[in-house]
Amino acid sequence: MNPWQNTNSAADQMHEMLEHDILVIGGGAAGLRAAIAAVQTNPRLNVAIVSKVYPMRSHTVSAEGGAAAVIKSNDSLEEHINDTITGSDWLADQDVVEAFVREAPDELLQLEHWGCPWSREPDGSIAVRPFGGMTIERTWFAADKVGFHLLHTLFQTSLKFESLTRYDEWFATKLLVENGRCQGVSAIELRTGEVRLLLAKAVILCTGGAGRIYPFTTNGAIKTGDGMAMAYRAGVPLKDMEFVQYHPTGLPGTGILITEAARGEGGILVNKDGYRYLQDYGMGPPDPWPRLRAMELGPRDKISQAFVHEMRKGRTIAGPYGDVVHLDVRHLGETKIDTKIPFVRELAHRYAGIDPVHEPIPVRPVVHYMMGGVHTDINGATPIAGLYAAGESACVSINGANRLGSNSLTECLVFGARAGRHAAAFAAHHRSLDRAALAAQARDEAKRVAGLDGTDGGTERIAMLRTEMTRAMEEGTGIYRDEGSLSKACDVLRTLRDRFARIRLDDRTRSFNTELIAALELECMLDVAEAVAHSALARTESRGSHQRTDHPKRDDARFLKHTLAYSTDGAPRIDYLDVVITRWPPAERVYGR
Amino acid sequence: MAEPTIALEIFRYHPEQGEAPSFRRYEIPYREDWVVLDGINYIKDQIDGTLAYRWSCRMGVCGSCGMMINGTPRLSCAAFLREYFPNPVRVEPLAHFPVERDLVIVMDDFMHKLREVKPWLIRGQETPLSEGEYRQTPAEVDEYKQYSMCINCMLCYAACPVYGLEPRFLGPAAIALAQRYNLDSRDEGRRERQEVLNTEEGIWDCTLVGECTTACPVHVDPAGSIQRAKVTATVDWYKDVLLPWGKR
Amino acid sequence: MGEAVSRPYRRTMPATWWLTNRAYFLFMVRELTSVFIAIYLVLLLVLISKVAAGREAYEAYLTFLGTPAVLAFHVLALAAALYHSITWFNLAPKGLVVRVRERRVPDAIIAGSNYLAWIAVSALLWWVVL
Ligand SMILES: Cc1cc2nc3c(=O)[nH]c(=O)nc-3n(C[C@H](O)[C@H](O)[C@H](O)COP(=O)(O)OP(=O)(O)OC[C@H]3O[C@@H](n4cnc5c(N)ncnc54)[C@H](O)[C@@H]3O)c2cc1C
Ligand code: SF4
Ligand code: FES
């Protein structure tokens, strides 16, 4: 059987190379936006989306709170730029942030024109809500299922483009680089288990984040950093990987997210004494409330760090899944909760067994987002010709050391579209392909994949290795780190890699072998985890989400730089790249006032 | 005290082993706060790595994890073991769909149908972005909002006996999504979609069993959407017959 | 590893599918009520033809209608008609979305107004007939 395609079927091409002008790997917000941009740029191009799950299952679907862009007359591009740069602790590239903020409103309007059910003001204009770290409310929302609506709008819109082909449930395993150009991927068709060769003149990676390298995360099972690992292995550096965002409000146990919109709408965080503890950590005073860029609407890194301090002081509340604090939205009242954050009520009810209308929600910090990713320039181009990246898998550098909530969905759209347009231009001018060499590469890859099942005497169970990896990451590279914890994590990851060479799978068959897929995902996660741990070990300062207890100060003299981690046969090689500073010189991050 | 356990009886089918499907029983630890999906993940990780199924978000929004649980279509990430304990839980792939392997169904049919109903905004005239958003009041959003909540989980198809008997039936979710656009004040494509809806395999196959609405985990009410589409189609018909000159 | 294949397994619906679940069963009952109503209509048509055929035939038919078995059938048919009407009216709000001043009229009111109309029509007929 074949992937379902908008146009003609690929049935007769079985066992052959499948060829397109552009391959987009990933069907989340970034991938769909990139694909649409590419076909709109040049309708003659034959564009295909490869995705390991049906596009509407991509984890973009779980985003709840909203997407940021300047649209109201009381707001300005300047303010959005400023918020994003201070939020990033000056590690964002300022030229990129400017482009991002400038193009953001049109991207969200485009979504509106494609049918996204944005929430509205009584006069029919777009409604916005406040989000953490923003001076002015500018977060567009569709109740609290924003990612869901955004993704389905994009996916359904993509169905109308006849020149778009889809390979749903195809798992990309390797980028094929030949002659210095990325010219395709090899991928497993899940249904048959066959390893296939997909050729293209340009490839755009939009494979999302890697939250699953941690045990406690808001990320779904599919967020295993595959694209990051594929690019890394092909020689592209991973940038700023030490910056891992903890969201302050996840449900204990499951890690399911309670959106920042709960606080944007007026929710408060209290410790075991009912005290709004954030005022003790430089984000007060508590009143008047709600107040922008203050208290519960501070940036995520600082709020998550405050939790750790409260816990050390014994002021958090013990629970079966670790300590929690309380997110209290009761004062908003049932009507507001049901219109603005109904999904929060549903999730809290189902997965925490409480009704937020009557009780506070127990929450704790949870791994949420990778600020780092595949190193790209402002157009999504990586150092390898013909290879682009966008969305959470990329690091185009608008998030720096800490992403502001609701900037990420917009980032997927702005830089997805940019990557799509630039890849379209590239594909139109680089028509040749090294077919024979690529086919040979794909054959080798098929052999490698077939050899993974451990028939030659493997013993290690992948679930075990995965558990040990996530534990090492949590213990060594959590909210606060130091040299000892990081070195230990690096050591454990190294041994896990050796043990991965000796895995054994229960499943030796081909059709829908999800155990094999899980093994390949684990291999990717080990690469990404190593890049995180080593990048964190090398950065001997504290900035944004990267807090070193042994180096508690920000050190602009040495580290106003992006980390670049390169894959080698041994430990990753770490290098640095200057941050682009244009009009906003580094200063102190001030919240609360 | 021994840890309590619970049995999951899981439908197994493998195309390469060429055998008829069978049920396999797994005894797993019972935890109050586990959903059926947690149990299945436990099996995959600890007991039997060959079990195939789909899941991702484990928060009821990606739509991957639909299964028949004791005969009822449910999201396995939203069905708690405690609802069944201490009885065994029988887990099967969603009814009415071909089975690729174990709990994985083939959903190509829906993907085709979805595209057929043109689930995108159709406008006679595109307005440039520079003119800002299309205005839409909160009441106008409410008109279609419910139908826009569909997560494509396929539970409604598994609940619908008409679809089981007549696979050509467009089915609940596809019709609800067509209505989602039909009722959107920004859309002008109703007549185009009506060509697909107003057919024997479209809305008129529906005999109003109503189980799709019961099964829907996000309260889309597909049955209601189909009834509304029938009313609209009927009104259209009367208009065309009684006022033939008034035809657009 | 084995050979690459995809051979989806197709399940068929058993003939007894409507016995597998309460909702399916109730649905089937609603569909079956039409059989009673059809038979009732046949009896009614026969009645009209007998009226045309003359007094004797009419009275013989009336006697037939008065037998316990036929009376029992009528009770059943009435029950079936009521069941059908009630389930149908309860479904009416699904198809009919009425808005008054931007607010969706609650389902109970839509179903209720159907019932009211039903009672009014029945009363009118009662008055005409008697
Ligand atoms: C719970 C939650 C809430 C969030 N809320 C917000 C919010 O309110 N506002 C905001 O701005 N951001 C939010 N975020 C962040 C934001 O949603 C994500 O960063 C963003 O959606 C990422 O989109 P993406 O397109 O890069 O990746 P994804 O949506 O993760 O898509 C990745 C795609 O790549 C495909 N893929 C991956 N690996 C492979 C492979 N090997 N082969 C083939 N295909 C592959 C997958 O199938 C998928 O289609 C939230 C995140 C989470 C987890
Ligand atoms: S209508 Fe409901 S049950 Fe049907 S696919 Fe959509 S969400 Fe699932
Ligand atoms: S896992 Fe996403 S809906 Fe259940």
Side-chain angles (χ1 to χ4, degrees), chain A residues 4 57 112-113 115 120 124 126 156 159 169 191 217 221 321 351 461 466 506-507 509-511 514, chain B residues 14 16 33 44-45 49 54 56 58 62 77 101 108 112 115 119 132-134 136 152 180-181 186:
Chain A
W4 173 67
R57 316 291 188 216
E112 195 278 334
H113 276 42
R120 305 285 179 149
I126 296 292
Q156 290 167 6
L159 297 178
E169 301 196 321
R191 187 171 288 191
T217 173
Y321 295 99
Y351 296 105
R461 209 174 165 78
R466 200 166 50 211
D506 293 346
D507 196 343
T509 65
R510 301 185 70 158
S511 170
T514 50
Chain B
H14 199 298
E16 284 157 54
D33 52 4
K44 177 95 179 165
D45 288 349
R54 294 185 176 110
S56 173
R58 50 80 180 93
C62 77
C77 70
R101 173 179 174 179
D108 300 14
H112 282 286
R115 180 150 191 268
E133 68 267 43
Y134 299 133
Q136 190 166 58
N152 303 357
R180 174 251 173 274
Y181 285 95
R186 297 167 290 183

Side-chain angles (χ1 to χ4, degrees), chain A residues 469 473 489-497 526 529-530 533:
Chain A
M469 170 193 69
M473 290 305 284
C490 292
D491 293 345
V492 176
L493 292 171
R494 187 48 31 189
T495 60
L496 289 176
R497 175 181 298 288
L526 285 170
E530 262 196 331

Side-chain angles (χ1 to χ4, degrees), chain C residues 90-111:
Chain C
N90 287 347
L91 285 171
K94 292 217 175 300
L96 222 57
V97 173
V98 183
R99 266 167 224 279
V100 177
R101 281 198 217 96
E102 308 240 307
R103 289 195 165 213
R104 188 168 167 170
V105 176
D107 287 1
I109 293 188
I110 300 212

Side-chain angles (χ1 to χ4, degrees), chain C residues 51-125:
Chain C
V51 171
R55 195 185 176 86
E56 217 157 283
Y58 173 67
E59 271 176 4
Y61 192 63
L62 274 190
T63 326
F64 163 73
L65 287 184
T67 56
V70 179
L71 276 180
F73 166 80
H74 276 87
V75 172
L76 276 179
L78 179 67
L82 283 174
Y83 179 80
H84 195 112
S85 314
I86 289 170
T87 50
W88 189 254
F89 286 156
N90 287 347
L91 285 171
K94 292 217 175 300
L96 222 57
V97 173
V98 183
R99 266 167 224 279
V100 177
R101 281 198 217 96
E102 308 240 307
R103 289 195 165 213
R104 188 168 167 170
V105 176
D107 287 1
I109 293 188
I110 300 212
S113 54
N114 269 290
Y115 282 110
L116 280 180
W118 183 31
I119 292 168
V121 171
S122 304
L124 186 74
L125 282 176

Side-chain angles (χ1 to χ4, degrees), chain A residues 352-409:
Chain A
I354 63 112
D355 183 350
V357 171
H358 303 295
E359 291 154 275
I361 311 169
V363 291
R364 62 189 315 243
V366 54
V367 169
H368 185 55
Y369 182 86
M370 306 294 294
M371 265 72 76
V374 178
H375 171 44
T376 75
D377 70 8
I378 194 168
N379 299 318
T382 72
I384 295 184
L387 180 65
Y388 297 78
E392 195 174 339
S393 64
C395 180
V396 63
S397 281
I398 66 159
N399 300 311
N402 173 64
R403 168 178 78 98
L404 291 188
S406 76
N407 262 355
S408 161
L409 288 173

